[in-house]
C-alpha cells in the first residue's frame, strides 16, 4: 500500500466577504454568507490540527481576510502552532495599526494583489474607486514593518500588455517576489472567460518579457509565471496533486482537496466542525477519489508524467468535458484538447464583466 503523503500547506479561506468585485475571483459563484462562517475557536483548533498533521505553512485567504475582526487571533494561533503565516489580501483597509497587530501576532508574509498598473484601470477591474492607491500604501507599510512582500499581478486580456509595468511596480514597492499569474478559469473567472482570455500571441509576448526580467533582476526579485492552462500542452499538478500537498478549508468549514472542488456535483465534503483535519486527510472519500494514480484513465494510466502532473485538474476536466474523471483537456494527448483552443479563442458573448458579488 502506498504511504499517505504528508500535506504541506493549508489554504484557510476565512471569509468570502470582500470589498472588491474582481470578475476573475476563484471563489465560487455561491458565496458563503458571514452568518455561516466558522467561529474563532474552530479556526484556532484548525491551526493546531494543521501543525500536528505536518502542515508547514498556512495561507490566510478569502475573500478578504481583513474582514474578520479576529484575524490577529487566528494568525497568532497559527504562529504559536509553528506554522509559517502568509496573508493573501487585497490590502484595502490594511492600515498601520492593523498591520502592527498582525505583525505582533506572528504574521510572516503578505501577498497583495494588483489589478493594473494605472489607477483608473485597476480600480475599474476591482470595481472599487481608490483601491490601487490603497494597495500601494499598504505594500509600503508591509516593507516598513519588515515583512516579506509578494506582489500578485493577475493577468488577463485587459492588462496583458502591462507585464513590464507590473515588474517595475514590484521593484518600486520593494517586493521580494512577483507572481505574474494568468487567470485560471474557475469560479467567477469561468463565468467571464470570453472577456478575460488573452490570445496566444499576447501570452507569448508576456513570456518573453518575464524571461528577460528574470535575467535582469536575478538576486533582486523572484518572478513566478503562471501560464493560462488553455494555451498549454501539458497539465500542471493542480494544488500539487489531488490529496497530495494541500488542504482547503472554506469559510463554512468544508474541507477540500482544491479550492474549486465543490463544482464536482457527486462529491460530499467533510466539515471541520465535526471532523479533524487528520481524519479528513486520511479517510475522507473526497480526498481519496482522485488521489494517486489508480483512478486514472488512458492516456494518463502508465504515462511517465502520471506522478508529476497527477492527471492535471479535475475541476477543469469537468468544466470542459462534463466529466471530472477524464484526462485534463490541457494535455495534448486528451481527445478534448482541441476544444481548449476553441474556447480560448471565443469572442465575448455580451459586453462587460459579471462582477463578483453575493447573489451574483
Amino acid at each position: 500500500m502506498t504511504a499517505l503523503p504528508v500535506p504541506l500547506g493549508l489554504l484557510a479561506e476565512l471569509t468570502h466577504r470582500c470589498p472588491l468585485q474582481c470578475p476573475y475571483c476563484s471563489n465560487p459563484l455561491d458565496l458563503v454568507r458571514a452568518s455561516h462562517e466558522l467561529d474563532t475557536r474552530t479556526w484556532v483548533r484548525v491551526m493546531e490540527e494543521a501543525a500536528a498533521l505536518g502542515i508547514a505553512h498556512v495561507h490566510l485567504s478569502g475573500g478578504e481576510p481583513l474582514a474578520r475582526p479576529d484575524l490577529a487571533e487566528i494568525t497568532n494561533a497559527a504562529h504559536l502552532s509553528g506554522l509559517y503565516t502568509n496573508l493573501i489580501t487585497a490590502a484595502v483597509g490594511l492600515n498601520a495599526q492593523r498591520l502592527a497587530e498582525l505583525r505582533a501576532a506572528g504574521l510572516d508574509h503578505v501577498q497583495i494583489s494588483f489589478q493594473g498598473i494605472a489607477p483608473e484601470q485597476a480600480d475599474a477591474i476591482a470595481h472599487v474607486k481608490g483601491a490601487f492607491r490603497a494597495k500601494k500604501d499598504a505594500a509600503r507599510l508591509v516593507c516598513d514593518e519588515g515583512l516579506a512582500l509578494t506582489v500578485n499581478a493577475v493577468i488577463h486580456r485587459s492588462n496583458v500588455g502591462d507585464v513590464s509595468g507590473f515588474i517595475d511596480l514590484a521593484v518600486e514597492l520593494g517586493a521580494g517576489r512577483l507572481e505574474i499569474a494568468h487567470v485560471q478559469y474557475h469560479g467567477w473567472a469561468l463565468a467571464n472567460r470570453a472577456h478575460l482570455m488573452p490570445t496566444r500571441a499576447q501570452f507569448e509576448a508576456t513570456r518573453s518579457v518575464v524571461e528577460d526580467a528574470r535575467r535582469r533582476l536575478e538576486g533582486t526579485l523572484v518572478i513566478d509565471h503562471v501560464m493560462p492552462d488553455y494555451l498549454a500542452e501539458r497539465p500542471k499538478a493542480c494544488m500539487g496533486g489531488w490529496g497530495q500537498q494541500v488542504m482547503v478549508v472554506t469559510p463554512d468549514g468544508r474541507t477540500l482537496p482544491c479550492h474549486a472542488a465543490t463544482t464536482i456535483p457527486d462529491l460530499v465534503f467533510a466539515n471541520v466542525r465535526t471532523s479533524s483535519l487528520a481524519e479528513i486527510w486520511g479517510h475522507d472519500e473526497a480526498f481519496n477519489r482522485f488521489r494517486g494514480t489508480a483512478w486514472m484513465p488512458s492516456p494518463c494510466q502508465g504515462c511517465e508524467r502520471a506522478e508529476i502532473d497527477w492527471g492535471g485538474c479535475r475541476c477543469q476536466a469537468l468544466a470542459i468535458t462534463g466529466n471530472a474523471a477524464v484526462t485534463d483537456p490541457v494535455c495534448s494527448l486528451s481527445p478534448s484538447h482541441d476544444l481548449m483552443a476553441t474556447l480560448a479563442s471565443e469572442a465575448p458573448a455580451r459586453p462587460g464583466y459579471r462582477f463578483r458579488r453575493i447573489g451574483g
Side-chain angles (χ1 to χ4, degrees):
M1 181 177 178
T2 304
L4 190 69
V6 176
L8 301 177
L10 172 67
L11 178 60
E13 295 183 340
L14 303 181
T15 181
H16 279 164
R17 289 173 283 163
C18 184
L20 274 57
Q21 299 180 32
C22 304
Y24 51 71
C25 181
S26 63
N27 286 162
L29 300 184
D30 185 14
L31 297 169
V32 173
R33 305 270 178 165
S35 59
H36 294 149
E37 293 174 3
L38 296 178
D39 60 18
T40 309
R41 180 182 299 179
T42 304
W43 275 118
V44 168
R45 173 173 59 80
V46 166
M47 298 305 162
E48 294 168 350
E49 291 179 355
L53 189 54
I55 287 173
H57 51 85
V58 58
H59 303 284
L60 303 166
S61 183
E64 176 48 67
L66 291 169
R68 298 268 316 208
D70 57 355
L71 178 58
E73 188 173 351
I74 295 171
T75 302
N76 188 239
H79 171 70
L80 293 177
S81 298
L83 299 172
Y84 183 88
T85 53
N86 174 33
L87 176 65
I88 300 177
T89 177
V92 175
L94 184 58
N95 56 35
Q97 179 180 347
R98 194 81 190 275
L99 187 60
E101 291 173 353
L102 292 169
R103 182 73 174 91
L107 184 64
D108 296 300
H109 184 279
V110 179
Q111 176 179 311
I112 298 177
S113 61
F114 282 83
Q115 285 66 43
I117 59 172
E120 298 81 7
Q121 175 202 38
D123 292 355
I125 292 292
H127 224 221
V128 174
K129 188 174 182 179
F132 179 78
R133 174 54 58 191
K135 289 168 179 286
K136 288 190 71 173
D137 291 344
R140 294 190 175 98
L141 289 173
V142 169
C143 292
D144 290 344
E145 278 286 343
L147 290 163
L149 172 66
T150 291
V151 167
N152 175 247
V154 184
I155 305 300
H156 47 85
R157 183 180 298 173
S158 295
N159 66 8
V160 68
D162 295 332
V163 170
S164 61
F166 280 116
I167 294 169
D168 292 342
L169 176 65
V171 173
E172 174 195 342
L173 295 174
R177 181 178 294 272
L178 168 65
E179 292 184 357
I180 298 294
H182 285 264
V183 167
Q184 303 301 300
Y185 294 92
H186 305 289
W188 295 86
L190 184 59
N192 287 292
R193 180 177 58 200
H195 299 279
L196 295 167
M197 183 74 67
T199 65
R200 182 172 294 278
Q202 287 174 322
F203 165 69
E204 293 297 342
T206 69
R207 179 150 55 186
S208 177
V209 171
V210 169
E211 289 174 355
D212 176 71
R214 281 173 170 165
R215 291 188 293 268
R216 178 167 47 86
L217 297 172
E218 184 177 3
T220 299
L221 181 68
V222 175
I223 305 176
D224 295 328
H225 191 197
V226 181
M227 72 180 298
D229 284 348
Y230 283 61
L231 301 178
E233 296 295 317
R234 289 288 184 270
K236 57 179 177 288
C238 181
M239 306 295 281
W242 186 282
Q244 295 293 321
Q245 294 187 8
V246 177
M247 302 185 80
V248 181
V249 178
T250 66
D252 58 359
R254 288 168 295 167
T255 308
L256 319 176
C258 81
H259 59 267
T262 55
T263 61
I264 302 177
D266 63 334
L267 286 182
V268 177
F269 303 99
N271 197 296
V272 294
R273 298 182 196 269
T274 55
S275 302
S276 71
L277 285 186
E279 291 169 340
I280 296 169
W281 181 255
H283 305 291
D284 186 54
E285 195 276 334
F287 274 81
N288 285 311
R289 174 77 67 89
F290 301 114
R291 177 179 269 155
T293 61
W295 65 271
M296 290 181 178
S298 176
C300 296
Q301 193 62 249
C303 176
E304 63 182 9
R305 292 181 56 85
E307 295 188 17
I308 297 174
D309 60 39
W310 299 104
C313 179
R314 299 300 87 226
C315 305
Q316 188 157 259
L318 176 70
I320 302 302
T321 73
N323 186 352
V326 300
T327 300
D328 187 339
V330 169
C331 182
S332 62
L333 301 177
S334 164
S336 300
H337 182 68
D338 289 345
L339 179 57
M340 297 286 282
T342 300
L343 292 171
S345 61
E346 66 181 347
R350 57 181 176 80
Y353 296 117
R354 180 180 176 183
F355 286 100
R356 175 202 191 275
R357 57 174 63 91
I358 289 180

